[in-house]
């Protein structure tokens, strides 16, 4: 084989290699590729836009549960974008079953958000967290599993620590720092670890309103390396939704206490009524005369026994000839009798008894009244409580909350998600939930 033949064969080999490379490039790039149908990146982006609209509307209406659930679903979508970063341009009909199921789960969660039903919103929150925990991250892409705080109490002065837990492999291995962006300002991490990133965010980033909750959206930027030979450094973006609670959880809280007061009512009675007395005259007819009167205590009243006394309007000088006596005196009644004796000769009275008498006595009865006091409590702060002495079973709590809801309770009450009332017998404890304990709130 001469040199010319060898050269010709070498040229053919090079041409074949070039043609093969162009063919492969055309197969990869498509030359004139058909459009990808429903790429999962587009599907996830559409879900993000829908969730963002739900969150905005719920925030305007003060529906905290919807905002909380929406933020969790949004975070799940962000994690899916990071987990499936290499397949974002792949049609949903071309991905594996596990990826497709994840997308379908996210679509179901968005429908739960749109329903606005409390049970479905709570389910969306829980399902989103479970999905986040189950996503595969074998490619070492960044992941956010959880973050805190989800709620911030208003009127804070000190910096707010923000903690994000997840997978930040490149932050420690390649010094690709994870940052947090809020309102156009970038905050560097105070601590950058593989599984935990910590930030200190100024309090003024979380402004509070006196009568409504507000949402602050933070973006976590986590750069990572992609590719084997020709490496790129894309950035995983995760939206962290924080709800800023009103500066004060309550507008007005009062405790009304009804204190029973027992007293005694007294009255003095004269019998017979009218004050004329009973008359006995033995000179009239020249014979002895007697009368008897039974006096009973009025219904609900009690006679004061020592107070019962006979009063004489007129009595002959000879007490033996005219007198009155008491008998069977008790708290429920008594008997009073009058007696006159006749002194006559041949039908002519001489010193016959003559009597006018009455009786006075004091009755009493218990009087039950109530001393009602209304106490306006000092303002509450988030996570605070007050214990107020009350009369057992004779109190009422009226609480007007920041969102317009009202709590009326005369016993233990846990129906309101923000304020609880505990009946402790001689005390009532009123507690306001702390920001880090707010979960599963009703809209």
């Amino acid at each position: 084989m001469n040199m010319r033949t060898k050269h010709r064969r070498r040229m053919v080999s090079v041409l074949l290699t070039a043609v093969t490379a162009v063919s492969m490039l055309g197969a990869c790039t498509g030359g004139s590729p058909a459009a990808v149908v429903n790429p999962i990146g587009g599907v996830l982006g559409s879900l993000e836009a829908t969730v963002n609209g739900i969150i905005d509307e719920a925030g305007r209406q003060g529906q905290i549960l919807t905002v909380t659930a929406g933020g969790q679903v949004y975070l799940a979508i962000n994690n899916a974008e990071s987990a499936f970063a290499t397949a974002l341009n792949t049609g949903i009909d071309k991905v594996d079953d596990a990826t497709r199921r994840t997308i379908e789960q996210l679509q179901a969660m968005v429908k739960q958000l749109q329903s606005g039903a409390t049970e479905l919103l709570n389910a969306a929150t829980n399902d989103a967290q479970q999905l986040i925990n189950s996503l595969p991250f074998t490619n070492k892409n960044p992941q956010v599993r959880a973050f805190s705080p989800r709620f911030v109490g208003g009127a804070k002065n000190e910096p707010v620590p923000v903690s994000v837990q997840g997978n930040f492999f490149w932050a420690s291995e390649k010094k690709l720092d994870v940052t947090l962006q809020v309102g156009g300002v970038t905050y560097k991490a105070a601590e950058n670890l593989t599984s935990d990133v910590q930030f200190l965010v100024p309090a003024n980033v979380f402004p509070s309103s006196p009568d409504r909750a507000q949402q602050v959206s933070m973006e976590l930027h986590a750069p990572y390396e992609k590719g084997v030979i020709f490496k790129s450094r894309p950035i995983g973006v995760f939206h962290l939704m924080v709800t800023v609670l009103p500066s004060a959880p309550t507008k007005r809280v009062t405790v009304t206490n009804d204190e029973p007061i027992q007293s005694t009512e007294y009255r003095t009675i004269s019998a017979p009524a009218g004050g004329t007395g009973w008359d006995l005259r033995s000179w009239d007819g020249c014979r002895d005369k007697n009368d008897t009167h039974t006096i009973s205590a009025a219904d609900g009243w009690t006679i004061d026994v020592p107070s019962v006394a006979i009063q004489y309007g007129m009595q002959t000088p000879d007490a033996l000839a005219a007198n009155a006596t008491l008998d069977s005196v008790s708290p429920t009644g008594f008997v009073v009798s009058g007696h006159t004796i006749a002194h006559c000769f041949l039908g002519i009275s001489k010193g016959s008894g003559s009597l006018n008498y009455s009786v006075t006595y004091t009755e009493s009865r218990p009087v039950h009244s109530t001393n009602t006091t209304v106490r306006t409590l000092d303002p509450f702060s988030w996570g605070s409580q007050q214990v107020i002495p009350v009369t057992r079973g004779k109190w009422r709590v009226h609480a007007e909350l920041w969102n317009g809801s009202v709590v009326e309770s005369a016993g233990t009450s846990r129906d309101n998600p923000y304020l609880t009332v505990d009946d402790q017998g001689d005390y009532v404890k009123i507690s306001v939930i702390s920001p880090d304990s707010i979960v599963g709130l009703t809209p």
Side-chain angles (χ1 to χ4, degrees), residues 52-119:
N52 194 49
I54 294 172
I55 291 173
D56 287 345
E57 181 62 24
R60 283 191 290 271
Q61 297 182 12
Q63 297 174 337
I64 289 185
L65 177 56
T66 302
V67 172
T68 303
Q72 189 71 358
V73 173
Y74 207 128
L75 184 59
I77 297 171
N78 295 159
N79 275 279
E81 287 176 329
S82 181
F84 306 139
T86 58
L88 292 179
N89 292 324
T90 304
I92 195 169
D93 59 332
K94 303 296 184 182
V95 297
D96 57 56
D97 290 342
T99 302
R100 190 179 302 109
R101 282 195 300 270
T102 298
I103 301 300
E104 290 172 351
Q105 286 178 303
L106 290 170
Q107 290 171 329
M109 292 176 203
V110 173
K111 289 182 179 179
Q112 290 173 324
L113 290 178
Q114 291 172 322
S115 75
T118 300
E119 291 184 3

Side-chain angles (χ1 to χ4, degrees), residues 223-243:
Y224 60 99
E225 286 192 352
K226 182 180 177 182
V228 178
I229 298 176
F230 300 102
K231 295 183 178 180
S232 62
R233 288 187 172 179
I235 296 177
V237 179
F238 302 85
H239 293 82
L240 314 181
M241 188 67 64
V242 177
T243 298

Side-chain angles (χ1 to χ4, degrees), residues 113-315:
L113 290 178
Q114 291 172 322
S115 75
T118 300
E119 291 184 3
L120 294 179
L121 291 172
N122 284 327
T125 302
N126 295 330
D127 293 346
Q129 185 62 58
Q130 291 178 13
L131 186 145
I132 290 171
N133 294 339
S134 65
L135 283 173
F137 279 84
T138 55
N139 57 6
K140 299 180 181 178
N141 287 3
Q143 177 190 28
V144 173
R145 291 188 179 273
F147 71 93
S148 64
R150 296 295 181 96
F151 295 88
V152 174
K156 295 285 186 180
N157 295 319
E158 299 178 353
V160 177
V162 176
S163 176
V164 186
Q165 294 80 45
N167 176 29
F168 308 107
F169 172 82
W170 300 103
S172 58
E173 292 295 318
K174 297 294 183 178
K175 306 302 180 184
L176 298 180
D177 291 341
V178 179
T179 60
L180 190 70
Q181 291 190 4
V182 191
V185 179
T186 299
Y187 298 93
K188 293 184 178 181
E191 187 174 5
N192 239 330
L193 302 177
T194 302
S195 60
D196 192 3
V197 183
Q198 306 281 338
F199 300 90
L200 284 177
V201 181
N204 60 11
V205 169
F206 306 98
S208 61
S209 169
D211 55 3
R212 65 185 180 91
Q214 300 187 121
Q215 283 67 52
V216 173
S217 180
M218 306 185 298
E219 285 188 2
L220 187 81
H221 289 197
Y224 60 99
E225 286 192 352
K226 182 180 177 182
V228 178
I229 298 176
F230 300 102
K231 295 183 178 180
S232 62
R233 288 187 172 179
I235 296 177
V237 179
F238 302 85
H239 293 82
L240 314 181
M241 188 67 64
V242 177
T243 298
V244 184
L245 299 169
S247 51
T250 58
K251 294 181 178 179
R252 186 171 184 265
V253 181
T254 60
V255 176
T256 301
N257 189 68
D258 297 327
E259 182 183 3
I261 298 177
Q262 293 189 0
S263 58
T264 304
E265 180 182 1
Y266 295 92
R267 66 179 182 181
T268 299
I269 297 176
S270 178
T276 57
W278 295 291
D279 290 318
L280 288 178
R281 299 182 177 86
S282 288
W283 49 261
D284 183 10
C286 286
R287 56 188 177 85
D288 296 346
K289 293 185 178 181
N290 299 282
D291 63 359
T292 300
H293 307 277
T294 300
I295 308 298
S296 298
D299 188 27
W301 294 77
T302 299
I303 294 175
D304 180 26
V305 172
S307 71
V308 181
I310 296 173
Q311 307 294 331
Y312 292 103
M314 185 274 291
Q315 183 181 22

Side-chain angles (χ1 to χ4, degrees), residues 33-48:
V36 177
V37 178
N38 287 335
I40 64 172
V43 174
L44 293 174
S46 177
L47 292 177
E48 279 185 340

